[in-house]
Structures are given as C-alpha cells and as structure tokens.
Amino acid sequence: MSDKLMLLDTASLYFRAFFGVPDKVKAADGTSVNAARGLLDIIAKLVTLYEPTHIVACWDDDWRPQWRVDLIPSYKAHRVVEVVESGPDVEEVPDPLEAQIPLIREALTTLGIPIIGVTAHEADDVIGTLATRSSIPVDIVTGDRDLFQLVDDSRGIRVVYTARGMSNLEILTDESVVAKYGVLPTQYADFATMRGDASDGLPGVAGVGEKTAATLLKAHGDLAGIRTAAAAGEGMSSGVQAKALAASEYLDVAPTVVEVARNLNIEVPAEPVRALDAARTAAAEALAEQWNLGGSMQRAIAALNR
C-alpha cells in the first residue's frame, strides 16, 4: 500500500454526523451519542475507501480567529452566541453536540488518530500547513469549499468533498475545480474573495458573482492583476471596473482572511496510524461499552485493522 495522508476537517465531519444521524440511541446517562457514532462510521468508510496510511484529525482551536475578525468584522459573526474578551468567541453549537465533543476527542485518541490544532487558528489552517509540508499524497476530507485552494495534482493533493453526503462523495482535482468554477485551484482563493461567502460572513465584491469572477481571473491571472487592470481602466467593462474600485478597502484585507495558513509551527506526524493492538482494542471496546457506541466503534476498529 502506498503512503497517503488523510486530513480530516473534524468539525465539518462531526457537524455532518450530528445532523445526519438520528438522535435515537443514548448513552446510559442519557447523553446523545449520534455525532460520535456518526463520526466513527465516517472514518470507517473513508479509511476503507481511500486507504490512508496516515490520518490527522485537524481541529479548530479557534473557529473565529481574532486576527481574521480584525480584518473583516463580519467574519462568521452570525454564528457567535457569546463574545469572549479573553479567548475564542462561543460558536452556536447545539447543546447535544457540544456535550459529545470530549467523547469524540477521546474516541479519536483511543483509536490512535492524532488531533492537531493551533492556538488562534482554524482547522483549515492546520490542513493548509500539513498538506503543504507533506511529502506523500494527501486527501483532505471536508465540506468547506475554501480548501479547494489546496488542490494540486502535481503533489497528489485532492479534496474529498462531503457536501452532498457520505453516499455522494466527490473527489476534487485540478480538472474538476476548473470544470466546476472555471478557475485553477491556485486562483480559487482570489475567486472566493471576489464571490464572497454568506456562510462565512464574507461580503465579496458587490455585483460580482462566480461567472464574472472567473472571467476576470481568466483574463488577468490573479486578484492583483485584476486590481491593476481596474485602476488602469483596461480589460473589463466600465461597470465591472467601478465595482472592483468600490470594493478596494475590502480587497485590501479579504485575501488574508480567505487564504489558509501554510506555515504554522506544526509537522506532519511521521508515524502511520497502526492497527490496534490488544490493549488499545480493549480500551476502544470499553469506551464503546461505556458510551453505547455499538457497531460504529467496531467498524472503525475493523477499518484501521485492515
């Protein structure tokens, strides 16, 4: 089996599990376990389908970093339920999911899947850094389009896109990003900056949608080239020029918000995820028994022991 690194956008996956798995089965104390069970089943399926040798659960140590908010105050603002002066703001998370996050972390650790997060950074930034530093092919598992900017056929970096559900996984390569959006992965961050994203509180350039953004990037290469052309009044209609110039302040800061970090102080784990020995299998089974994780834990164990 060839070496391959799988990077999990963990919060994206456990949110999907929480909303996708009916909350019918509880732990003995009444705690919901649908997100934990669902995430274990997701991992079992991913490992079986794509056969990674190395896996990292990338974590949001800060889901809304202040340095991004300082640049664009609306960044993810609609998801804030409590502002915290001395640390990350509190995100809107259903209580039954919030209660499962410690269990999810314990289950990942018990299975030998390392969890990596970085202070003041999102999981996307961890993924960007680990993918950039990896010396082996990478599969990034996410429902977040922003990570399309990391796709790179020359280095074997793909995105396993989960937005249509675990039964309709989509593999994003250079060709499929171009087919979807008309831009190269290297242009995707500039494309997303102009288009904006309401789910992240990014306004984009008013009046510029995906088609116009792609056309501009095809003509001018990148955002810097577009802004230079707009300033010179060349290579675009007067209406598009006016929109680009009116968005100047936004375009000064938005690329820093949209681009994922690639140089955090972390390294790709050298050790592969190994089959569970007897002691770790017993620990995983005990955790499953305690929290009523049932066949989901067994399927994860079986996939990792393949």
Side-chain angles (χ1 to χ4, degrees):
M1 185 188 304
S2 300
D3 284 350
K4 183 193 296 181
L5 171 63
M6 177 169 280
L7 301 174
L8 306 178
D9 183 0
T10 316
S12 171
L13 297 179
Y14 66 61
F15 267 93
R16 173 164 293 280
F18 177 77
F19 288 108
V21 177
D23 188 15
K24 295 179 179 178
V25 179
K26 311 278 187 180
D29 66 356
T31 300
S32 296
V33 292
N34 59 328
R37 289 169 67 111
L39 180 62
L40 290 169
D41 278 327
I42 286 171
I43 289 171
K45 179 168 186 172
L46 292 168
V47 170
T48 301
L49 280 176
Y50 302 114
E51 299 185 329
T53 53
H54 299 65
I55 308 173
V56 177
C58 302
W59 206 264
D60 285 320
D61 272 17
D62 190 336
W63 68 280
R64 187 176 182 249
Q66 188 60 45
W67 57 272
R68 283 190 165 110
V69 176
D70 288 344
L71 294 172
I72 299 182
S74 63
Y75 182 65
K76 296 185 177 180
H78 58 295
R79 303 189 211 171
V80 176
V81 294
E82 181 183 347
V83 175
V84 179
E85 295 297 334
S86 59
D89 293 335
V90 178
E91 183 180 12
E92 183 178 9
V93 179
D95 290 343
L97 173 55
E98 186 74 38
Q100 296 179 66
I101 292 175
L103 172 59
I104 288 169
R105 291 184 66 98
E106 186 174 1
L108 291 168
T109 300
T110 302
L111 291 171
I113 297 174
I115 299 168
I116 298 180
V118 175
T119 301
H121 287 84
E122 302 173 57
D124 286 8
D125 302 312
V126 175
I127 290 169
T129 297
L130 294 179
T132 299
R133 292 191 177 152
S134 178
S135 60
I136 60 178
V138 178
D139 280 345
I140 298 165
V141 185
T142 184
D144 185 350
R145 295 180 298 175
D146 287 341
L147 291 170
F148 294 174
Q149 64 188 272
L150 297 172
V151 170
D152 186 345
D153 285 1
S154 69
R155 299 190 56 234
I157 300 174
R158 315 184 300 178
V159 166
V160 180
Y161 191 46
T162 64
R164 296 190 299 169
M166 293 304 297
S167 298
N168 294 285
L169 296 172
E170 185 177 4
I171 301 295
L172 272 296
T173 61
D174 287 4
E175 181 179 1
S176 52
V177 172
V178 172
K180 266 183 172 291
Y181 300 107
V183 299
L184 295 166
T186 52
Q187 297 172 308
Y188 189 85
D190 286 346
F191 172 79
T193 294
M194 288 188 288
R195 177 198 63 203
D197 189 339
S199 68
D200 281 341
L202 295 174
V205 177
V208 172
E210 292 190 351
K211 185 176 180 180
T212 300
T215 299
L216 290 170
L217 285 166
K218 185 174 182 179
H220 304 290
D222 57 18
L223 187 56
I226 292 168
R227 298 188 73 184
T228 297
E234 299 173 348
M236 64 189 71
S237 70
S238 59
V240 171
Q241 177 196 20
K243 292 169 184 175
L245 293 176
S248 180
E249 290 186 9
Y250 166 77
L251 293 175
D252 285 343
V253 297
T256 303
V257 175
V258 174
E259 291 169 7
V260 300
R262 301 181 188 229
N263 60 351
L264 302 182
N265 187 26
I266 48 175
E267 299 296 334
V268 180
E271 291 297 315
V273 173
R274 302 186 183 279
L276 278 69
D277 59 22
R280 284 175 53 209
T281 298
E285 290 175 343
L287 186 69
E289 177 69 22
Q290 178 185 357
W291 290 100
N292 198 14
L293 300 178
S296 299
M297 179 64 86
Q298 290 297 335
R299 285 186 284 274
I301 293 170
L304 291 168
N305 286 348
R306 69 198 186 284

